[in-house]
């Protein structure tokens, strides 16, 4: 078999949960003791750092992992992500590896401009916080109607459990992903974004209320 060398984690995870500082520190210490690299997928990193009760900053993440990336596409950018290499041993010839693997982006300045603008005046964090706030508002509205969740909402992804009949009615009005069947019910995945208007959240809860029985 291939010799394991890298531990890959997503922050937040695929179900919207978040590694705490203590949990990520424990993983980091294990990796360093066992000569493993720790890579953090940060497609929604802004959502994790700006969640309620967050105890991890960008700087602290950089101290704990070897490589991570700051997701831009899911937080206001048109395209592109920002990779951050924290381990000096991995920096050598990285630009040449990009070229060798066919990953060098033409006109990459356009991507850089987006990142620079997103990180001016806390815009990146404000957009991420908005996506979280809309998800929590949506989760509260769904809870008020008596529905349960696969897991507690922490970031901008929530996973309510609805009867199949309710899902069929909702699908006439909204697009969403069926996450996991549970007998006569199904877990669905709802995601709010940096651009989700509060009125849309209210409208969804209102529509769901009319189907509540």
């Amino acid at each position: 078999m291939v010799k394991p060398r890298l531990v890959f984690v997503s922050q937040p995870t695929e179900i919207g949960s978040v590694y705490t500082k203590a949990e990520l520190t424990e993983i980091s210490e294990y990796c360093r003791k066992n000569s493993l690299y720790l890579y953090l997928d940060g497609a929604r990193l802004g959502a994790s750092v700006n969640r309620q009760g967050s105890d991890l900053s960008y700087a602290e993440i950089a101290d704990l992992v070897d490589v991570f990336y700051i997701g831009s596409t899911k937080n206001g950018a048109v395209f592109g992500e920002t990779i951050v290499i924290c381990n000096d041993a991995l920096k050598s010839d990285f630009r040449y590896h990009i070229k060798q693997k066919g990953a060098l982006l033409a006109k990459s300045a356009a991507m850089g401009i987006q990142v620079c603008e997103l990180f001016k005046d806390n815009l990146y964090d404000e957009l991420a916080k908005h996506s979280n706030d809309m998800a929590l508002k949506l989760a509260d509205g769904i809870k008020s109607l008596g529905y349960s969740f696969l897991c507690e909402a922490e970031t901008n992804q929530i996973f309510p459990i609805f009867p199949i009949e309710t899902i069929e009615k909702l699908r006439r009005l909204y697009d969403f992903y069926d996450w996991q069947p549970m007998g006569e019910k199904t877990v669905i995945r709802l995601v709010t974004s940096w651009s989700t208007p509060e009125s849309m959240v209210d409208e969804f809860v209102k529509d769901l209320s009319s189907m509540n029985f």
Side-chain angles (χ1 to χ4, degrees), residues 5 37 66-67 85-94 97:
R5 191 65 198 277
Y37 295 127
D66 294 289
V67 182
I85 304 175
C86 310
N87 185 337
D88 288 341
L90 300 176
K91 295 178 181 180
S92 177
D93 294 333
F94 181 75
H97 294 320

Side-chain angles (χ1 to χ4, degrees), residues 80-144:
E81 318 294 349
T82 304
I83 190 168
V84 182
I85 304 175
C86 310
N87 185 337
D88 288 341
L90 300 176
K91 295 178 181 180
S92 177
D93 294 333
F94 181 75
R95 293 180 182 273
Y96 296 98
H97 294 320
I98 295 175
K99 179 71 171 180
Q100 183 184 48
K101 303 301 180 182
L104 183 63
L105 183 68
K107 310 298 185 290
S108 57
M111 182 172 65
I113 290 170
Q114 292 180 102
V115 175
C116 288
E117 292 303 312
L118 278 171
F119 277 88
K120 283 183 181 178
D121 302 320
N122 294 319
L123 177 60
Y124 184 84
D125 289 327
E126 289 176 5
L127 294 175
K129 185 177 183 302
H130 174 80
S131 68
N132 288 345
D133 289 345
M134 292 302 98
L136 294 178
K137 179 180 174 66
L138 181 57
D140 288 342
I142 294 172
K143 284 180 184 177
S144 71

Side-chain angles (χ1 to χ4, degrees), residues 16 20 32 44 75 77 79 116 124 126 134 140 152 159 181 200-201:
T20 64
R32 289 171 180 174
R44 294 184 173 86
N75 201 41
F79 69 103
C116 288
Y124 184 84
E126 289 176 5
M134 292 302 98
D140 288 342
E152 193 66 30
F159 297 83
M200 182 175 289
V201 173

Side-chain angles (χ1 to χ4, degrees), residues 15-16 52 130-162 188-192 196 198 200-206 208:
I15 57 170
Q52 292 182 5
H130 174 80
S131 68
N132 288 345
D133 289 345
M134 292 302 98
L136 294 178
K137 179 180 174 66
L138 181 57
D140 288 342
I142 294 172
K143 284 180 184 177
S144 71
L145 298 175
Y147 294 105
S148 58
F149 288 73
L150 177 66
C151 53
E152 193 66 30
E154 293 190 70
T155 53
N156 69 321
Q157 301 177 83
I158 63 174
F159 297 83
I161 304 170
F162 293 146
I188 70 168
R189 176 177 179 256
L190 299 175
V191 183
T192 53
T196 300
E198 191 169 357
M200 182 175 289
V201 173
D202 293 334
E203 185 176 347
F204 184 96
V205 175
K206 181 181 178 182
L208 180 61

